[in-house]
Amino acid sequence: MTTPATAARTDGKAFSLAILVVAEVAAMATWFATTASLGAIRAQWSLSPFQEALLTSSVQAGFVAGTLLSALLSLADRADLRTLFSVSALVAALANGAILLFEPTHPAVPLLRFLTGMCMAGVYPVGMKLAATWAKGDLGLLIGMLVAALTLGSASPHAMAAVGGLDWRAPVAGAAASALVAALLIRFAKVGPNHAKAPPLKLSNALDAFRRPALRLANLGYFGHMWELYAMWAWIGAFFAASFAARYGDGPPLDPRLATFCVVAIGAVGALGGGFAADRLGRTFVTALSMAVSGLCAAGIGFLFGASIWLVLPLALVWGVTVISDSAQFSAAVTELSDRSLIGTMLTVQTCVGFLITLVSIHLLPYAVDAFGWRFAFLILAIGPFLGVLAMLRLRLRPEAAAMAGGRR
């Protein structure tokens, strides 16, 4: 029976989720703020492959540190979700704003990017936990909405870079302002009725992610997905710039920064579509299919290096959709397979290890480009999704899989 209190909270679902999605988009703009500026930075400063990768990987490293701390302290299950999100977004805004005080080659910049990544640990997993408190038979779609918001937020600095021309500060300043808006906006969202009582503080809670076989397989699928995702997002712009220059010289029919924005942003369609499909067809089915297609795209796109933009861009757009269409479903699966009181911790552990893996693939790719050229470099990213497919097919056979998506596995 629905009580008046529950009905009142349910009535606020659409408004709270809309606020949450907008705040997530705004806060996540900080993630690729310096990555989007890389072309403009290269025009004025000389960077080694390690320094270029560090502009992105320092954020990943900070996120890993932040999620590890959050998981050990069960912050996402013990702290007020809106306060944690708001404070994290505010500090991220200040850290990004402080970058403008330095040249992009200054040692302070990676440290500020590291701090930004730590703050994102209070935004992304916390946002997923907040969305899950409103779930009622639509968990995959709700978390898909959050991942779509993350995708749009991650893409937005590339649009800012295109508008700002060769001023590397434009995406950085825009992202800082955007995160400040997020810090204020999230205060208007409400927590849904599915918010469990906080568990006792036990550092061993985090180990549930690996002790339980079904959770372990769901996480292994996610880790394969993450091996590919952020390295693709971090380096697809450099691939476009090199490929368009090889084909068209200085006059490509489309600015590579806008092409990058389109490929990353279209992932929002994949995240929403994947969530809608997984709630109806099953989580393991959607994740395995998505990773199979994205892995094939990773393996094949390099062979179109220097080809017509009308061949390269369509395949890149398919990759942009499928590389993220499964992401939310790993989080949804962990939410459904976890103890309800530990959902926030399990999501935080999952993202912590997943982003730790991205540090390897992000740094490995530019060395692969130097060694083998763009034609073969992306092949290394295909390894992750193909291993992820195997993990999800094994999860599909386990009896615990019946707990996902209303028994649709």
Side-chain angles (χ1 to χ4, degrees):
M1 180 176 178
T2 301
T3 65
T6 301
R9 284 189 289 175
T10 303
D11 287 343
K13 177 178 180 178
F15 177 79
S16 292
L17 288 173
I19 291 291
L20 175 59
V21 166
V22 174
E24 189 85 12
V25 171
M28 293 305 297
T30 59
W31 200 294
F32 284 110
T34 52
T35 307
S37 302
L38 192 54
I41 292 172
R42 281 200 200 106
Q44 300 179 53
W45 291 274
S46 177
L47 283 77
S48 69
F50 178 80
Q51 287 176 306
E52 290 185 0
L54 194 62
L55 290 176
T56 299
S57 66
S58 53
V59 185
Q60 315 290 113
F63 185 84
V64 169
T67 50
L68 180 61
L69 178 64
S70 178
L72 290 175
L73 299 179
S74 299
L75 289 181
D77 291 310
R78 300 178 63 80
D80 178 80
L81 295 174
R82 293 169 300 176
T83 299
L84 184 55
F85 189 115
S86 182
V87 171
S88 299
L90 175 60
V91 177
L94 296 175
N96 267 262
I99 291 173
L100 301 175
L101 301 176
F102 304 95
E103 291 187 350
T105 53
H106 195 281
V109 173
L111 294 177
L112 290 168
R113 299 300 289 149
F114 181 88
L115 178 58
T116 299
M118 286 195 72
C119 293
M120 291 300 99
V123 171
Y124 179 38
V126 170
M128 287 193 292
K129 172 70 183 290
L130 191 52
T133 66
W134 290 103
K136 189 176 182 181
D138 55 357
L139 179 63
L141 181 59
L142 294 189
I143 298 185
M145 287 171 55
L146 259 292
V147 174
L150 173 147
T151 304
L152 289 175
S154 299
S156 61
H158 294 288
M160 296 176 195
V163 172
L166 290 178
D167 187 348
W168 69 272
R169 294 165 295 188
V172 176
S178 184
L180 182 59
V181 171
L184 299 173
L185 197 59
I186 194 63
R187 303 303 306 175
F188 294 95
K190 295 181 180 179
V191 179
N194 302 329
H195 191 47
K197 183 180 178 181
L201 178 59
K202 290 172 56 180
L203 298 183
S204 62
N205 284 341
L207 297 179
D208 257 20
F210 305 103
R211 277 194 294 245
R212 299 173 59 182
L215 273 175
R216 185 166 61 244
L217 286 171
N219 283 323
L220 287 174
Y222 179 75
F223 300 156
H225 153 78
M226 289 297 283
W227 171 264
E228 177 192 24
L229 175 62
Y230 273 83
M232 183 272 207
W233 276 0
W235 294 110
I236 191 65
F239 170 79
F240 279 147
S243 181
F244 293 178
R247 176 77 178 194
Y248 302 104
D250 295 332
L254 180 66
D255 189 318
R257 292 169 296 187
L258 286 178
T260 303
F261 169 76
C262 292
V263 168
V264 178
I266 201 173
V269 177
L272 289 172
F276 182 83
D279 284 336
R280 289 155 180 78
L281 302 176
R283 309 244 185 268
T284 59
F285 173 79
V286 168
T287 52
L289 179 62
S290 295
M291 285 189 287
V293 176
S294 67
L296 289 172
C297 290
I301 195 166
F303 294 100
L304 293 179
F305 180 79
S308 167
I309 190 175
W310 308 117
L311 292 176
V312 178
L313 189 57
L315 181 59
L317 290 170
V318 172
W319 195 11
V321 170
T322 56
V323 77
I324 193 68
S325 57
D326 52 347
S327 190
Q329 303 321 306
F330 297 112
S331 303
V334 163
T335 299
E336 291 163 326
L337 294 169
S338 300
D339 183 305
R340 187 180 170 191
S341 68
L342 291 175
I343 288 173
T345 299
M346 292 302 98
L347 289 172
T348 305
V349 171
Q350 183 189 60
T351 52
C352 175
V353 178
F355 279 87
L356 183 62
I357 289 169
T358 69
L359 289 172
V360 179
S361 57
I362 287 172
H363 273 276
L364 183 60
L365 197 64
Y367 292 102
V369 173
D370 285 346
F372 309 112
W374 280 113
R375 193 168 298 278
F376 300 103
F378 281 131
L379 279 169
I380 65 170
L381 298 188
I383 298 170
F386 289 142
L387 291 177
V389 168
L390 296 178
M392 298 313 287
L393 292 180
R394 287 185 62 193
L395 176 58
R396 186 179 181 86
L397 299 176
R398 293 196 62 87
E400 298 99 315
M404 299 187 299
R408 298 179 184 86
R409 295 177 184 264

